[in-house]
Amino acid sequence: MKFDEQKTITVDNLITCDAEIMSGTPVFKNTRVPIKNLIDYLESGETLDEFLEDFPSVNRDQAVRVLELAKEMLLTHAYANSH
C-alpha cells in the first residue's frame, strides 16, 4: 500500500454503526459481520484466511485495512499517553 492510499483509511469508510444493522454493533461496511468477530478469530489462533472463509461477505482488503486502522489507532494512543 502506498503512503497516499493509507491516508484515506478511516473508520467511516471501513466500519458502520447503525441501530438498524446488528443493533448498532460496529460491522464491516456493507456487511452484517461485526468487527469483533475478526479480533475474536485472531485471538483464538484462527487465521485471517479462516475468518474470510467463514465470512465471505468480508473481503481480504477490508479485513487488512481494519487491522491496519486498529494498529494505527493503538500506536497513536500509546504515543499520546507516553509523554
Side-chain angles (χ1 to χ4, degrees):
M1 175 178 298
K2 296 177 188 167
F3 179 74
D4 289 342
E5 291 173 348
Q6 178 134 3
K7 290 186 347 185
T8 64
I9 298 174
T10 66
V11 171
D12 291 338
N13 61 13
L14 293 174
I15 299 169
T16 300
C17 292
D18 183 334
E20 301 294 318
I21 302 170
M22 303 291 292
S23 300
T25 298
V27 298
F28 286 92
K29 192 165 191 138
N30 301 320
T31 77
R32 297 179 63 80
V33 179
I35 300 298
K36 185 178 182 314
N37 287 14
L38 173 58
I39 304 304
D40 289 345
Y41 261 66
L42 298 175
E43 283 181 337
S44 71
E46 302 289 329
T47 66
L48 179 57
D49 287 331
E50 289 167 317
F51 171 80
L52 295 171
E53 185 175 309
D54 289 346
F55 298 96
S57 62
V58 177
N59 65 51
R60 179 174 296 279
D61 184 58
Q62 283 178 297
V64 169
R65 285 175 173 252
V66 162
L67 292 172
E68 289 171 347
L69 180 62
K71 176 181 82 175
E72 289 303 316
M73 293 175 81
L74 177 65
L75 291 173
T76 298
H77 183 74
Y79 286 131
N81 289 323
S82 68
H83 301 294

